Amino acid sequence: MQYRRFGKTNLYLSVFSLGTMRCLTDSENVQQLLEKALSLGINHLETARGYGDSEAYLGKAIKAGLSVPRSQIHITTKIPPTPDADSMRRYIDESLNRLNLDYLDCLGIHGLNTWQHLEWVQAQNGCMQAVEEAINDGRVRHIGFSTHGSLDVILAAINTNLFEFVNLHYYYFFQHNAPAIQLAKEKDMGVFIISPADKGGKLYTPSQTLKELCHPLTPLDLNYRFLLSDNRIHTLSIGPAKPEELVISPELFDHENELTKAEIDIFEKLENQQNHVLLTDKCSQCYACLPCPENIHIPEVLRLRNLAVAYDMTDYGKYRYGMFENAGHWFPGMKANRCTECGDCLPKCPENLDIPTLLKDTHERLQGKAGRRLWG
């Protein structure tokens, strides 16, 4: 295992963090999973108030005793932003009680996704007043935020200078948040990547096309290498449901901060495949088409189409597309069939894409059962 300084927190975290959102079948399963993670050198455990009974399961395991001293384990929980300090005070106390902890190494404001959330954390008597009190009395050591929000909201949140770390989406197949990664680096913030295996493309169940393009690496390991080769990034979430799913390839650590020529060649192959298959239908993710009068997140819809057409990542596309209209501010936007062909987007597109036709095609390819977040 490798360890990296988590920005200005000065914590040294393992480059893989155990996310506990999915490991909630029973206490014994959680205990076994924690012990396996610790045996692999993982020293950062991450949960959230909103992850069902995750805090309680983790707290039970902590109370029962772990093989590694508490001082050598870094624990993060996340609590949603609140418009008032009293709610945050109560939530912090409840999380500490459920976790059987005297202090949190890190507290993340969970889902700082909208401009309203940003107003709440900046309000004079808002939730950050309670967070500051908890920092002053030692119950919280470090404060950050997690986000599924738009890039402009993320950049604004970083620029408040209220936070020491950020949890965000950024993967090989989704690089739109690259400016946030760079700004966090300039602010010396810790950077935690959310769910690179799942949200990064369901890479634990890749298509045959993607497997062939990434050979001899697996698509999952290639995405890990893309992230780990970037020294601005400090830790990646890994979220198995049971111990046997917790597998980390030793080869990932052979080259710490630079991609190998073989890896670069694979990324070039992936880019060539997309260009060759999509031709003039490729959306380059410039976001110039927004806003859409019907509130369709056109770039994200067309990103999913890019992946489905170029790499046969249809299963992933259906999974993410099904979230539209079903996950609120966690995955905003309407489905592509809401398009009225108003033409507002057409003159904005530098590639002259026939966006209404591509939206219709995407809906036909990816419509399926409605999705939702695992925890509401």
Side-chain angles (χ1 to χ4, degrees), residues 287-304 321 324-325 331-345 348 355-360 362-363:
Y287 280 56
C289 54
L290 296 181
C292 166
E294 302 304 323
N295 197 31
I296 299 168
H297 193 331
I298 297 170
E300 180 62 11
V301 170
L302 297 188
R303 181 182 77 92
L304 298 176
Y321 186 76
F324 286 123
E325 304 183 27
F331 199 75
M334 307 302 287
K335 293 189 186 297
N337 63 334
R338 305 287 187 175
C339 176
T340 62
E341 301 186 30
C342 70
D344 182 80
C345 56
K348 300 177 185 177
I355 292 174
T357 297
L358 294 176
L359 291 177
K360 181 180 179 181
T362 306
H363 184 74

Side-chain angles (χ1 to χ4, degrees), residues 134-158:
I135 290 173
N136 290 336
D137 64 26
R139 289 176 297 141
V140 171
R141 301 281 175 85
H142 305 285
I143 179 68
F145 72 98
S146 73
T147 181
H148 295 227
S150 60
L151 178 59
D152 53 354
V153 170
I154 299 172
L155 294 174
I158 293 173

Side-chain angles (χ1 to χ4, degrees), residues 120-351:
W120 290 351
V121 302
Q122 291 182 290
Q124 186 172 0
N125 297 312
C127 56
M128 293 302 287
Q129 178 180 324
V131 172
E132 289 171 9
E133 292 168 1
I135 290 173
N136 290 336
D137 64 26
R139 289 176 297 141
V140 171
R141 301 281 175 85
H142 305 285
I143 179 68
F145 72 98
S146 73
T147 181
H148 295 227
S150 60
L151 178 59
D152 53 354
V153 170
I154 299 172
L155 294 174
I158 293 173
N159 275 321
T160 65
N161 296 316
L162 293 170
F163 303 105
E164 296 172 89
F165 65 89
V166 57
N167 301 10
L168 78 170
H169 296 278
Y170 177 74
Y171 323 105
Y172 174 72
F173 290 121
F174 178 75
Q175 299 182 39
H176 182 67
N177 285 339
I181 300 284
Q182 180 57 32
L183 183 59
K185 168 68 174 178
E186 293 168 7
K187 300 280 189 178
D188 193 26
M189 292 175 67
V191 174
F192 176 109
I193 301 299
I194 299 170
S195 187
D198 185 65
K199 305 303 188 297
K202 287 191 76 172
L203 299 177
Y204 45 84
T205 54
S207 69
Q208 185 61 34
T209 297
L210 194 56
K211 286 194 285 188
E212 291 173 359
L213 287 166
C214 295
H215 183 78
L217 275 70
T218 66
L220 179 56
D221 280 358
L222 186 69
N223 191 41
Y224 285 155
R225 285 290 303 134
F226 170 78
L227 296 168
L228 293 175
S229 67
D230 188 338
N231 61 15
R232 302 172 302 175
I233 292 169
H234 306 114
T235 188
L236 319 178
S237 174
I238 187 168
K242 45 194 175 181
E244 53 267 33
E245 294 177 359
L246 181 51
V247 178
I248 300 173
S249 303
E251 293 81 7
L252 291 171
F253 308 124
D254 287 347
H255 305 277
E256 185 171 0
N257 291 327
E258 289 188 7
L259 293 171
T260 66
K261 182 180 183 305
E263 290 162 350
I264 292 170
D265 288 345
I266 294 173
F267 287 124
E268 289 179 355
K269 190 189 304 183
L270 288 167
E271 184 65 21
N272 291 337
Q273 168 81 1
Q274 190 169 185
N275 292 335
H276 175 73
V277 174
L278 290 167
L279 298 174
T280 57
D281 287 345
K282 178 185 174 183
C283 172
S284 65
Q285 299 289 284
C286 70
Y287 280 56
C289 54
L290 296 181
C292 166
E294 302 304 323
N295 197 31
I296 299 168
H297 193 331
I298 297 170
E300 180 62 11
V301 170
L302 297 188
R303 181 182 77 92
L304 298 176
R305 183 184 185 277
N306 283 353
L307 299 179
V309 174
Y311 308 122
D312 296 331
M313 293 173 65
T314 303
D315 186 44
Y316 171 69
K318 289 180 176 179
Y319 157 52
R320 297 304 283 169
Y321 186 76
M323 302 289 286
F324 286 123
E325 304 183 27
N326 292 290
H329 59 75
W330 295 95
F331 199 75
M334 307 302 287
K335 293 189 186 297
N337 63 334
R338 305 287 187 175
C339 176
T340 62
E341 301 186 30
C342 70
D344 182 80
C345 56
L346 294 175
K348 300 177 185 177
C349 179
E351 295 154 324

